[in-house]
Amino acid sequence: MYGEASLFRDYALTDAELRSGAQGALRPGQVDEYDEQGYLVLPGLLDCDDLAPVRAAMMMKVDLIADQLMAAGRITDPLAGDPFETRLARLFEGLSAEDFVTFTGRSWRDRLTGYFELMSNPKILDVVESLIGPEIFANPVYNVRPKVPRVAAGEVPWHQDKSYWPDARSNPVVTVWVAVVDATVENGCLRMIPRTHQEAVAGFHFETYSGTAYLEMDDAAVAPLKARARLVPLGAGGAIVFNDRFIHSSGPNASEHIRWSVDLRYQPTDQDPMPQYGTGFLARSRVHPERVASLDDWCAGRPEAGVGGT
Ligand SMILES: O=C(O)CCC(=O)C(=O)O
């Protein structure tokens, strides 16, 4: 693999440059904590109104999956009246792990209004602005995660996000992980290893037990660090911020309900937009506010208002 020390030296801005002119929502002590620990927990960042659009988008997707299961003759009742917290899990009761991977998969990246609204939420962008300044690009890699009880694909092995995009000339990529329902120890909250945010990308491989081939850090690299790991339970609407070198994982869901979450990513606008990974968009700009992408731009594959498109 490669060492971070040689990565993008010519490309990455210094921390001071990134923050020049930054305003944002975080207090200096919180920024210091992020710098020192490599992650920051923000309980209650979002309220019910902020989460409503993303919950609606998730429910729309569950409707679609129920329709597909019905059409394939795998179920006879779409459970349309079941609650958000349990419906997807109940749809797969009696079906196999392979069915789950085929019809649901481990995460979703549909271009739906609710996800755009979450990615563009000013409370989230204010946090990101505190860390990287006001020119903010929403990275194409975001994941809507339905962590369903007793499904192996829900358990995420130890990894660094950057192992998923080793070729990308983006540094930093900042993750904002949002709990859409309460994330608890029982339902598989995140597990974080503090102060790993400046690590080089360690050796990794595709795991073979979830059916979805997550990238997993080699045991030799992560084993010595595991004693420092912390479980980070978080109420719905809370967020955890970390960068793409930070080592993290999440446990299995041993509860009776789905642990819904979304992980979003952001970077400064002068970084590689990583188009080979999907469609990102200009989420905030003080310099070019007229170029900030609308929902229509994003849906049309335009990363900026009126520019590009598929
Ligand atoms: O939500 C999870 O369980 C894992 C999240 C994750 O690995 C990430 O956000 O990079």
Side-chain angles (χ1 to χ4, degrees), residues 88-140:
L88 185 66
R90 284 207 54 223
L91 284 171
F92 284 92
E93 268 173 15
L95 301 187
S96 65
E98 289 73 33
D99 282 323
F100 186 83
V101 170
T102 303
F103 289 92
T104 291
R106 69 188 187 205
S107 63
W108 307 329
R109 214 170 282 166
D110 309 283
R111 272 182 255 169
L112 297 177
T113 311
Y115 306 150
F116 182 83
E117 289 189 23
L118 187 69
M119 285 187 233
S120 305
N121 187 298
K123 294 176 189 170
I124 293 179
L125 294 180
D126 285 349
V127 168
V128 175
E129 178 168 340
S130 303
L131 301 174
I132 65 170
E135 306 302 311
I136 301 174
F137 186 76
N139 182 287

Side-chain angles (χ1 to χ4, degrees), residues 8 10-14 17-18 132-138 169-172 266-274 282 284 304:
F8 319 144
D10 55 334
Y11 202 76
L13 300 176
T14 63
E17 284 168 332
L18 286 169
I132 65 170
E135 306 302 311
I136 301 174
F137 186 76
R169 291 173 60 84
S170 293
N171 181 27
Y266 300 91
Q267 60 194 56
T269 51
D270 63 348
Q271 309 283 298
D272 175 2
M274 297 168 49
L282 183 62
R284 173 174 281 181
E304 293 182 13

Side-chain angles (χ1 to χ4, degrees), residues 227-266:
R228 283 170 32 203
R230 293 186 189 160
L231 289 159
V232 187
L234 189 61
I240 308 175
V241 188
F242 52 97
N243 78 9
D244 62 351
R245 270 71 48 79
F246 191 91
I247 301 171
H248 60 290
S249 68
S250 70
N253 184 348
S255 77
E256 294 304 319
H257 56 267
I258 301 150
R259 195 222 67 185
W260 288 105
S261 65
V262 185
D263 39 272
L264 309 173
R265 289 178 181 75
Y266 300 91

Side-chain angles (χ1 to χ4, degrees), residues 19 32 41 64 68 74 78 87 100 105 114 246-247 275 294:
R19 295 200 185 114
D32 292 345
V41 184
L64 191 70
Q68 289 168 343
R74 308 294 291 129
R87 182 180 174 202
F100 186 83
F246 191 91
I247 301 171
S294 66

